Amino acid sequence: MDTRSQPVRIIEVTHRSVLAIAVPMTLGYVTTPLLGLTDTAVIGRTGEAAALAGLAIAAALFDLLFGSLNFLRASTTALVAQAQGRGDGDELFAVFWRSIALSLGFGLLILALSPLIISGGLTMMGAEGRVAEASATYIAIRIIAAPVTLSNFTLLGFVLGRGLGSIGLGLQILLNGINIVMSILLGLTFGWGIAGVAWGTVIGETVAALAGLAFVFWRYGPSAMPRLAMLTDTAKLKELFHLNRDILIRTFSLITAFTVMTRVGASFGPVTLAANAVLLNFFMISSFYLDGIATAAEQIAGQTIGARYRPGFERAVKLTGIWSLGLALASLAFFLGLGESIIGFITTAQEVRIVADLYLPYAALTALTGALAFQMDGIFIGATWSREMRNMMIVALAGYLATLAALVPSFGNHGLWIALNVFLALRGLLLLSRLKPKLDQTFAASQ
């Protein structure tokens, strides 16, 4: 159904409604690195260097695989929020079950391709001998949970689409908490090593999925029950596929940009490469809360689009912009002031510290240059303006590559960091340039 035929519904947008999603999801995102740290510590305590290297390789492969499929979360949030804004309860749950079906389909496909994923992934990462054996063990076990892992993306997207940030945080804490406890228990106490860490992940994902489904049925009762008609609406399925396709292309473009940065950085030698890796932690820290604001922007933008309420949408843009900019400026000041101490905490290698200190201002600046990009991504995903988001990302990536080609030969690693900041700024500015035209087009019927 064309949403322009829907009556306007007033949606109140406040700082409280932004923070009700942004704060819990920021906390949820922060728990994820704790899991990786725990897994590393568990395997590190076994004293097997090959197992530790194997875990690092396997974890990187899963980050790439599941990170590429995170569109399942984003698209679900956007479409559920829009259905909620329209007051369309039937479509709200139809979105959920279509996304669950898609998650299970992708998960089963991953399982079917697991032999190729293991062999191809290890070849791509150059793993050999005991390292390859450890990686293969971890991948073969953890990949069993692929359908459940992807279903958790949809479950998280559903509760966020409904504006239930605290439930989203609870599911993330449950998933990561059980994962951490089981990894320690199975990996260390039972002595299963890397296999125990992998089984800990499988158990954590499974418990979180069961808890999420239990919440949905407990909270919404019979109205949450799936029906065949939900899965046979061709137009809605096509809308879901198109949205997911565009977000996937955007994600691959983002991965490409950071992969290229690592590859170019490697050409400057191991010390510079290590320094860049240390400094990218500053961007990762900033991304926790910028992603939290972006998630709030997705939900509120989607809800106000569904409600056909332009003032609410514009207020969502304003408030999420204020929070993104404020947090980015605070980050810039924090990292410029304490960055050298943080670098010293991360690494004890003096030569790496010296190089990292030199490029610290560029890394500190990424929070500011990236703030608009995160916020606009959230707005455009929530509004399901995915084609424009995809196209602007491709243009930004082209601008990034052109900046690299122009600056790196003359300015080396300085040019690399300048190019990264140009890329982040371009993403936000290009999307901002499309905001007004898309607003006028989308809300034309309610003027």
Side-chain angles (χ1 to χ4, degrees), residues 364-426:
L365 193 60
T366 56
L368 185 59
T369 55
L372 184 62
F374 277 87
Q375 183 216 4
M376 286 292 107
D377 264 3
I379 294 293
F380 274 67
I381 289 173
T384 59
W385 298 335
S386 61
R387 187 176 69 173
E388 287 75 15
M389 181 185 66
R390 176 200 68 197
N391 291 345
M392 294 304 99
M393 173 61 90
I394 293 172
V395 173
L397 179 61
Y400 169 65
L401 296 176
T403 305
L404 281 174
L407 297 183
V408 169
S410 299
F411 300 100
N413 202 48
H414 290 280
L416 179 59
W417 277 100
I418 292 171
L420 177 64
N421 279 286
V422 167
F423 171 63
L424 294 172
L426 271 179

Short mmCIF file of all heavy atoms in Angstrom, two decimals, residues 364-426:
data_model
loop_
_atom_site.label_atom_id
_atom_site.label_comp_id
_atom_site.label_asym_id
_atom_site.label_seq_id
_atom_site.Cartn_x
_atom_site.Cartn_y
_atom_site.Cartn_z
N ALA A 364 41.68 11.70 16.00
CA ALA A 364 40.73 12.40 16.86
C ALA A 364 39.64 13.08 16.04
O ALA A 364 38.49 13.18 16.46
CB ALA A 364 41.48 13.43 17.72
N LEU A 365 40.01 13.54 14.84
CA LEU A 365 39.08 14.27 13.98
C LEU A 365 38.00 13.37 13.38
O LEU A 365 36.93 13.86 12.98
CB LEU A 365 39.86 14.96 12.86
CG LEU A 365 39.14 16.02 12.03
CD1 LEU A 365 38.66 17.16 12.90
CD2 LEU A 365 40.07 16.53 10.92
N THR A 366 38.23 12.05 13.33
CA THR A 366 37.27 11.16 12.67
C THR A 366 35.89 11.18 13.33
O THR A 366 34.88 10.99 12.65
CB THR A 366 37.78 9.70 12.64
OG1 THR A 366 38.08 9.26 13.98
CG2 THR A 366 39.03 9.58 11.77
N ALA A 367 35.84 11.42 14.64
CA ALA A 367 34.53 11.50 15.30
C ALA A 367 33.72 12.66 14.74
O ALA A 367 32.50 12.53 14.51
CB ALA A 367 34.71 11.65 16.81
N LEU A 368 34.40 13.78 14.50
CA LEU A 368 33.70 14.97 13.99
C LEU A 368 33.34 14.82 12.51
O LEU A 368 32.21 15.12 12.11
CB LEU A 368 34.58 16.21 14.20
CG LEU A 368 33.94 17.56 13.84
CD1 LEU A 368 32.68 17.79 14.66
CD2 LEU A 368 34.94 18.69 14.07
N THR A 369 34.28 14.35 11.70
CA THR A 369 33.99 14.21 10.27
C THR A 369 32.99 13.08 10.02
O THR A 369 32.28 13.09 9.01
CB THR A 369 35.28 13.95 9.47
OG1 THR A 369 35.95 12.80 10.01
CG2 THR A 369 36.20 15.14 9.50
N GLY A 370 32.93 12.10 10.95
CA GLY A 370 32.01 10.98 10.77
C GLY A 370 30.64 11.18 11.38
O GLY A 370 29.71 10.41 11.10
N ALA A 371 30.46 12.22 12.22
CA ALA A 371 29.20 12.39 12.96
C ALA A 371 28.01 12.53 12.02
O ALA A 371 26.97 11.88 12.20
CB ALA A 371 29.30 13.61 13.87
N LEU A 372 28.14 13.38 11.00
CA LEU A 372 27.03 13.59 10.07
C LEU A 372 26.75 12.33 9.26
O LEU A 372 25.59 12.02 8.96
CB LEU A 372 27.34 14.77 9.14
CG LEU A 372 26.23 15.17 8.16
CD1 LEU A 372 24.98 15.60 8.91
CD2 LEU A 372 26.73 16.30 7.24
N ALA A 373 27.81 11.60 8.92
CA ALA A 373 27.64 10.37 8.13
C ALA A 373 26.81 9.34 8.90
O ALA A 373 25.89 8.73 8.35
CB ALA A 373 29.00 9.79 7.77
N PHE A 374 27.13 9.15 10.18
CA PHE A 374 26.37 8.20 11.00
C PHE A 374 24.91 8.64 11.10
O PHE A 374 23.99 7.84 10.94
CB PHE A 374 26.98 8.11 12.41
CG PHE A 374 28.15 7.18 12.51
CD1 PHE A 374 29.44 7.62 12.24
CD2 PHE A 374 27.98 5.86 12.90
CE1 PHE A 374 30.53 6.76 12.35
CE2 PHE A 374 29.06 5.00 13.02
CZ PHE A 374 30.34 5.44 12.74
N GLN A 375 24.71 9.92 11.40
CA GLN A 375 23.35 10.41 11.58
C GLN A 375 22.54 10.29 10.30
O GLN A 375 21.39 9.81 10.31
CB GLN A 375 23.37 11.88 12.03
CG GLN A 375 21.97 12.43 12.31
CD GLN A 375 21.82 13.89 11.90
OE1 GLN A 375 22.74 14.50 11.34
NE2 GLN A 375 20.66 14.47 12.19
N MET A 376 23.11 10.73 9.17
CA MET A 376 22.39 10.67 7.90
C MET A 376 22.11 9.23 7.48
O MET A 376 21.06 8.93 6.90
CB MET A 376 23.19 11.39 6.81
CG MET A 376 23.16 12.90 6.92
SD MET A 376 21.54 13.62 6.57
CE MET A 376 21.03 14.11 8.21
N ASP A 377 23.04 8.33 7.74
CA ASP A 377 22.78 6.91 7.48
C ASP A 377 21.52 6.46 8.21
O ASP A 377 20.66 5.78 7.65
CB ASP A 377 23.97 6.05 7.93
CG ASP A 377 24.92 5.73 6.79
OD1 ASP A 377 24.70 6.22 5.67
OD2 ASP A 377 25.89 4.99 7.01
N GLY A 378 21.42 6.83 9.51
CA GLY A 378 20.26 6.46 10.29
C GLY A 378 18.98 7.05 9.73
O GLY A 378 17.96 6.36 9.61
N ILE A 379 19.02 8.31 9.36
CA ILE A 379 17.84 8.98 8.80
C ILE A 379 17.41 8.32 7.49
O ILE A 379 16.23 8.01 7.29
CB ILE A 379 18.14 10.48 8.56
CG1 ILE A 379 18.35 11.21 9.89
CG2 ILE A 379 17.03 11.12 7.74
CD1 ILE A 379 17.13 11.32 10.76
N PHE A 380 18.35 8.08 6.60
CA PHE A 380 18.02 7.53 5.28
C PHE A 380 17.57 6.08 5.37
O PHE A 380 16.69 5.65 4.62
CB PHE A 380 19.21 7.68 4.33
CG PHE A 380 19.26 9.02 3.63
CD1 PHE A 380 19.51 10.18 4.35
CD2 PHE A 380 19.05 9.13 2.27
CE1 PHE A 380 19.55 11.42 3.74
CE2 PHE A 380 19.08 10.35 1.63
CZ PHE A 380 19.34 11.52 2.37
N ILE A 381 18.17 5.30 6.28
CA ILE A 381 17.72 3.92 6.46
C ILE A 381 16.30 3.91 7.03
O ILE A 381 15.42 3.18 6.56
CB ILE A 381 18.68 3.13 7.37
CG1 ILE A 381 20.00 2.87 6.65
CG2 ILE A 381 18.05 1.80 7.80
CD1 ILE A 381 21.07 2.24 7.54
N GLY A 382 16.06 4.73 8.07
CA GLY A 382 14.73 4.78 8.67
C GLY A 382 13.65 5.20 7.70
O GLY A 382 12.52 4.69 7.74
N ALA A 383 14.01 6.11 6.81
CA ALA A 383 13.05 6.58 5.80
C ALA A 383 12.96 5.64 4.61
O ALA A 383 12.13 5.84 3.72
CB ALA A 383 13.45 7.98 5.33
N THR A 384 13.80 4.60 4.60
CA THR A 384 13.95 3.64 3.49
C THR A 384 14.27 4.36 2.17
O THR A 384 13.83 3.95 1.11
CB THR A 384 12.72 2.71 3.33
OG1 THR A 384 11.53 3.48 3.09
CG2 THR A 384 12.53 1.83 4.54
N TRP A 385 15.09 5.40 2.28
CA TRP A 385 15.63 6.05 1.08
C TRP A 385 16.95 5.36 0.73
O TRP A 385 18.02 5.98 0.67
CB TRP A 385 15.87 7.54 1.34
CG TRP A 385 14.63 8.31 1.66
CD1 TRP A 385 13.34 8.01 1.31
CD2 TRP A 385 14.56 9.55 2.40
NE1 TRP A 385 12.47 8.96 1.79
CE2 TRP A 385 13.19 9.92 2.45
CE3 TRP A 385 15.51 10.36 3.01
CZ2 TRP A 385 12.76 11.08 3.11
CZ3 TRP A 385 15.09 11.51 3.65
CH2 TRP A 385 13.73 11.87 3.70
N SER A 386 16.88 4.08 0.54
CA SER A 386 18.10 3.28 0.45
C SER A 386 18.85 3.49 -0.87
O SER A 386 20.07 3.38 -0.90
CB SER A 386 17.77 1.80 0.63
OG SER A 386 16.88 1.35 -0.37
N ARG A 387 18.13 3.77 -1.94
CA ARG A 387 18.82 3.96 -3.22
C ARG A 387 19.74 5.17 -3.17
O ARG A 387 20.89 5.11 -3.64
CB ARG A 387 17.81 4.12 -4.36
CG ARG A 387 18.46 4.16 -5.73
CD ARG A 387 17.45 4.24 -6.84
NE ARG A 387 16.77 5.54 -6.85
CZ ARG A 387 15.92 5.93 -7.80
NH1 ARG A 387 15.62 5.12 -8.80
NH2 ARG A 387 15.34 7.12 -7.73
N GLU A 388 19.25 6.26 -2.59
CA GLU A 388 20.07 7.47 -2.46
C GLU A 388 21.26 7.21 -1.54
O GLU A 388 22.38 7.65 -1.82
CB GLU A 388 19.23 8.63 -1.92
CG GLU A 388 18.24 9.22 -2.91
CD GLU A 388 17.02 8.33 -3.14
OE1 GLU A 388 16.79 7.39 -2.32
OE2 GLU A 388 16.31 8.55 -4.12
N MET A 389 21.03 6.49 -0.44
CA MET A 389 22.12 6.18 0.48
C MET A 389 23.19 5.35 -0.22
O MET A 389 24.39 5.61 -0.08
CB MET A 389 21.58 5.42 1.70
CG MET A 389 22.64 5.08 2.73
SD MET A 389 21.99 4.07 4.07
CE MET A 389 21.60 2.57 3.17
N ARG A 390 22.75 4.35 -0.98
CA ARG A 390 23.68 3.49 -1.72
C ARG A 390 24.49 4.32 -2.72
O ARG A 390 25.72 4.22 -2.79
CB ARG A 390 22.88 2.42 -2.46
CG ARG A 390 23.70 1.50 -3.37
CD ARG A 390 22.78 0.84 -4.39
NE ARG A 390 22.25 1.80 -5.35
CZ ARG A 390 21.19 1.57 -6.13
NH1 ARG A 390 20.53 0.43 -6.04
NH2 ARG A 390 20.78 2.50 -6.99
N ASN A 391 23.80 5.15 -3.49
CA ASN A 391 24.48 5.92 -4.54
C ASN A 391 25.47 6.92 -3.95
O ASN A 391 26.58 7.09 -4.47
CB ASN A 391 23.45 6.64 -5.40
CG ASN A 391 22.62 5.69 -6.24
OD1 ASN A 391 22.97 4.51 -6.41
ND2 ASN A 391 21.50 6.16 -6.76
N MET A 392 25.08 7.60 -2.88
CA MET A 392 25.98 8.58 -2.27
C MET A 392 27.19 7.90 -1.64
O MET A 392 28.28 8.46 -1.62
CB MET A 392 25.23 9.42 -1.24
CG MET A 392 24.14 10.32 -1.82
SD MET A 392 24.71 11.48 -3.10
CE MET A 392 24.22 10.62 -4.61
N MET A 393 26.99 6.69 -1.12
CA MET A 393 28.14 5.95 -0.58
C MET A 393 29.13 5.61 -1.68
O MET A 393 30.35 5.72 -1.49
CB MET A 393 27.65 4.68 0.11
CG MET A 393 28.78 3.75 0.56
SD MET A 393 29.91 4.49 1.76
CE MET A 393 29.09 4.01 3.28
N ILE A 394 28.64 5.21 -2.82
CA ILE A 394 29.51 4.87 -3.94
C ILE A 394 30.28 6.11 -4.40
O ILE A 394 31.49 6.05 -4.68
CB ILE A 394 28.70 4.26 -5.10
CG1 ILE A 394 28.15 2.89 -4.68
CG2 ILE A 394 29.55 4.13 -6.36
CD1 ILE A 394 27.17 2.28 -5.68
N VAL A 395 29.59 7.25 -4.46
CA VAL A 395 30.27 8.50 -4.84
C VAL A 395 31.33 8.87 -3.81
O VAL A 395 32.44 9.28 -4.15
CB VAL A 395 29.24 9.65 -4.97
CG1 VAL A 395 29.96 10.98 -5.19
CG2 VAL A 395 28.28 9.38 -6.12
N ALA A 396 30.99 8.71 -2.51
CA ALA A 396 31.96 9.01 -1.44
C ALA A 396 33.17 8.10 -1.53
O ALA A 396 34.31 8.53 -1.32
CB ALA A 396 31.29 8.88 -0.08
N LEU A 397 32.93 6.82 -1.83
CA LEU A 397 34.04 5.87 -1.97
C LEU A 397 34.94 6.28 -3.14
O LEU A 397 36.17 6.22 -3.03
CB LEU A 397 33.51 4.46 -2.19
CG LEU A 397 34.56 3.35 -2.37
CD1 LEU A 397 35.44 3.24 -1.14
CD2 LEU A 397 33.88 2.01 -2.66
N ALA A 398 34.34 6.70 -4.25
CA ALA A 398 35.12 7.16 -5.40
C ALA A 398 35.95 8.39 -5.02
O ALA A 398 37.13 8.50 -5.39
CB ALA A 398 34.20 7.48 -6.57
N GLY A 399 35.35 9.30 -4.24
CA GLY A 399 36.08 10.48 -3.79
C GLY A 399 37.24 10.12 -2.88
O GLY A 399 38.31 10.72 -2.94
N TYR A 400 37.02 9.12 -2.04
CA TYR A 400 38.06 8.62 -1.14
C TYR A 400 39.23 8.05 -1.93
O TYR A 400 40.40 8.38 -1.65
CB TYR A 400 37.43 7.56 -0.24
CG TYR A 400 38.39 6.73 0.59
CD1 TYR A 400 39.18 7.30 1.58
CD2 TYR A 400 38.47 5.35 0.39
CE1 TYR A 400 40.02 6.52 2.36
CE2 TYR A 400 39.30 4.56 1.17
CZ TYR A 400 40.09 5.14 2.14
OH TYR A 400 40.91 4.37 2.91
N LEU A 401 38.93 7.21 -2.89
CA LEU A 401 39.99 6.60 -3.70
C LEU A 401 40.75 7.66 -4.50
O LEU A 401 41.98 7.58 -4.64
CB LEU A 401 39.39 5.55 -4.63
CG LEU A 401 38.74 4.34 -3.93
CD1 LEU A 401 38.09 3.42 -4.96
CD2 LEU A 401 39.76 3.57 -3.09
N ALA A 402 40.02 8.67 -5.01
CA ALA A 402 40.68 9.75 -5.75
C ALA A 402 41.59 10.56 -4.83
O ALA A 402 42.70 10.95 -5.21
CB ALA A 402 39.63 10.65 -6.38
N THR A 403 41.13 10.80 -3.59
CA THR A 403 41.94 11.54 -2.62
C THR A 403 43.19 10.76 -2.25
O THR A 403 44.29 11.33 -2.13
CB THR A 403 41.12 11.84 -1.35
OG1 THR A 403 39.91 12.52 -1.71
CG2 THR A 403 41.91 12.73 -0.40
N LEU A 404 43.04 9.45 -2.08
CA LEU A 404 44.21 8.60 -1.83
C LEU A 404 45.22 8.73 -2.96
O LEU A 404 46.42 8.91 -2.72
CB LEU A 404 43.77 7.14 -1.68
CG LEU A 404 43.16 6.69 -0.37
CD1 LEU A 404 42.67 5.25 -0.50
CD2 LEU A 404 44.16 6.79 0.77
N ALA A 405 44.73 8.60 -4.18
CA ALA A 405 45.63 8.65 -5.34
C ALA A 405 46.34 9.99 -5.44
O ALA A 405 47.50 10.07 -5.86
CB ALA A 405 44.84 8.37 -6.62
N ALA A 406 45.65 11.05 -5.02
CA ALA A 406 46.23 12.39 -5.14
C ALA A 406 47.20 12.71 -4.01
O ALA A 406 48.22 13.38 -4.23
CB ALA A 406 45.11 13.43 -5.16
N LEU A 407 46.91 12.24 -2.79
CA LEU A 407 47.68 12.68 -1.62
C LEU A 407 48.74 11.70 -1.13
O LEU A 407 49.80 12.12 -0.65
CB LEU A 407 46.73 12.99 -0.46
CG LEU A 407 45.73 14.13 -0.68
CD1 LEU A 407 44.91 14.36 0.59
CD2 LEU A 407 46.43 15.41 -1.11
N VAL A 408 48.47 10.41 -1.20
CA VAL A 408 49.40 9.43 -0.62
C VAL A 408 50.79 9.46 -1.26
O VAL A 408 51.80 9.41 -0.54
CB VAL A 408 48.80 8.01 -0.66
CG1 VAL A 408 49.84 6.95 -0.32
CG2 VAL A 408 47.63 7.91 0.31
N PRO A 409 50.89 9.56 -2.60
CA PRO A 409 52.24 9.59 -3.18
C PRO A 409 53.11 10.73 -2.64
O PRO A 409 54.32 10.57 -2.50
CB PRO A 409 51.97 9.75 -4.68
CG PRO A 409 50.62 9.16 -4.88
CD PRO A 409 49.85 9.54 -3.65
N SER A 410 52.50 11.87 -2.32
CA SER A 410 53.28 13.03 -1.85
C SER A 410 53.35 13.14 -0.34
O SER A 410 54.36 13.58 0.21
CB SER A 410 52.67 14.32 -2.42
OG SER A 410 52.70 14.33 -3.83
N PHE A 411 52.29 12.72 0.34
CA PHE A 411 52.20 12.96 1.78
C PHE A 411 52.18 11.69 2.61
O PHE A 411 52.09 11.75 3.84
CB PHE A 411 50.96 13.80 2.10
CG PHE A 411 50.96 15.14 1.43
CD1 PHE A 411 50.22 15.36 0.28
CD2 PHE A 411 51.71 16.18 1.94
CE1 PHE A 411 50.21 16.59 -0.34
CE2 PHE A 411 51.72 17.43 1.33
CZ PHE A 411 50.97 17.63 0.17
N GLY A 412 52.29 10.53 1.98
CA GLY A 412 52.39 9.28 2.71
C GLY A 412 51.23 9.02 3.65
O GLY A 412 50.06 9.19 3.27
N ASN A 413 51.53 8.66 4.89
CA ASN A 413 50.48 8.30 5.84
C ASN A 413 49.62 9.51 6.23
O ASN A 413 48.45 9.35 6.60
CB ASN A 413 51.11 7.69 7.10
CG ASN A 413 50.12 6.82 7.87
OD1 ASN A 413 49.44 5.98 7.28
ND2 ASN A 413 50.03 7.03 9.17
N HIS A 414 50.18 10.71 6.14
CA HIS A 414 49.36 11.91 6.33
C HIS A 414 48.23 11.93 5.30
O HIS A 414 47.08 12.21 5.63
CB HIS A 414 50.22 13.18 6.19
CG HIS A 414 51.18 13.40 7.31
ND1 HIS A 414 50.81 13.93 8.53
CD2 HIS A 414 52.52 13.16 7.40
CE1 HIS A 414 51.87 14.01 9.32
NE2 HIS A 414 52.93 13.54 8.66
N GLY A 415 48.59 11.65 4.05
CA GLY A 415 47.59 11.62 2.99
C GLY A 415 46.54 10.55 3.21
O GLY A 415 45.36 10.75 2.90
N LEU A 416 46.96 9.42 3.76
CA LEU A 416 46.03 8.32 4.04
C LEU A 416 44.97 8.75 5.06
O LEU A 416 43.77 8.52 4.87
CB LEU A 416 46.80 7.11 4.54
CG LEU A 416 45.98 5.86 4.91
CD1 LEU A 416 45.19 5.36 3.73
CD2 LEU A 416 46.91 4.77 5.45
N TRP A 417 45.41 9.38 6.15
CA TRP A 417 44.47 9.81 7.18
C TRP A 417 43.60 10.97 6.71
O TRP A 417 42.41 11.06 7.06
CB TRP A 417 45.23 10.20 8.45
CG TRP A 417 45.55 9.00 9.30
CD1 TRP A 417 46.75 8.35 9.38
CD2 TRP A 417 44.65 8.31 10.17
NE1 TRP A 417 46.65 7.28 10.25
CE2 TRP A 417 45.38 7.23 10.76
CE3 TRP A 417 43.31 8.49 10.52
CZ2 TRP A 417 44.81 6.36 11.66
CZ3 TRP A 417 42.74 7.60 11.43
CH2 TRP A 417 43.48 6.56 11.99
N ILE A 418 44.16 11.87 5.90
CA ILE A 418 43.35 12.95 5.32
C ILE A 418 42.26 12.36 4.44
O ILE A 418 41.09 12.77 4.50
CB ILE A 418 44.23 13.93 4.52
CG1 ILE A 418 45.15 14.71 5.47
CG2 ILE A 418 43.36 14.90 3.71
CD1 ILE A 418 46.21 15.54 4.75
N ALA A 419 42.62 11.36 3.64
CA ALA A 419 41.65 10.71 2.75
C ALA A 419 40.53 10.06 3.54
O ALA A 419 39.36 10.13 3.14
CB ALA A 419 42.35 9.69 1.86
N LEU A 420 40.86 9.42 4.67
CA LEU A 420 39.82 8.80 5.49
C LEU A 420 38.85 9.85 6.02
O LEU A 420 37.62 9.66 5.97
CB LEU A 420 40.45 8.05 6.67
CG LEU A 420 39.44 7.41 7.64
CD1 LEU A 420 38.63 6.33 6.93
CD2 LEU A 420 40.14 6.83 8.86
N ASN A 421 39.37 10.98 6.48
CA ASN A 421 38.48 12.04 6.97
C ASN A 421 37.65 12.65 5.85
O ASN A 421 36.48 13.00 6.05
CB ASN A 421 39.29 13.12 7.70
CG ASN A 421 39.64 12.73 9.12
OD1 ASN A 421 38.79 12.75 10.00
ND2 ASN A 421 40.90 12.36 9.35
N VAL A 422 38.24 12.76 4.67
CA VAL A 422 37.48 13.24 3.51
C VAL A 422 36.34 12.28 3.19
O VAL A 422 35.20 12.70 2.91
CB VAL A 422 38.41 13.40 2.28
CG1 VAL A 422 37.60 13.58 1.00
CG2 VAL A 422 39.35 14.59 2.48
N PHE A 423 36.62 10.99 3.24
CA PHE A 423 35.60 9.97 2.98
C PHE A 423 34.44 10.08 3.96
O PHE A 423 33.27 10.09 3.57
CB PHE A 423 36.24 8.58 3.07
CG PHE A 423 35.27 7.44 3.03
CD1 PHE A 423 34.48 7.21 1.92
CD2 PHE A 423 35.16 6.56 4.11
CE1 PHE A 423 33.59 6.14 1.87
CE2 PHE A 423 34.28 5.50 4.09
CZ PHE A 423 33.49 5.28 2.97
N LEU A 424 34.76 10.19 5.25
CA LEU A 424 33.72 10.29 6.26
C LEU A 424 32.88 11.56 6.07
O LEU A 424 31.65 11.52 6.15
CB LEU A 424 34.34 10.28 7.66
CG LEU A 424 35.05 8.98 8.08
CD1 LEU A 424 35.78 9.18 9.40
CD2 LEU A 424 34.06 7.84 8.18
N ALA A 425 33.56 12.67 5.81
CA ALA A 425 32.85 13.94 5.61
C ALA A 425 31.98 13.89 4.36
O ALA A 425 30.83 14.37 4.36
CB ALA A 425 33.85 15.09 5.53
N LEU A 426 32.53 13.32 3.28
CA LEU A 426 31.77 13.22 2.03
C LEU A 426 30.48 12.43 2.22
O LEU A 426 29.42 12.80 1.70
CB LEU A 426 32.62 12.55 0.95
CG LEU A 426 33.50 13.44 0.08
CD1 LEU A 426 34.29 12.58 -0.90
CD2 LEU A 426 32.64 14.46 -0.68
#
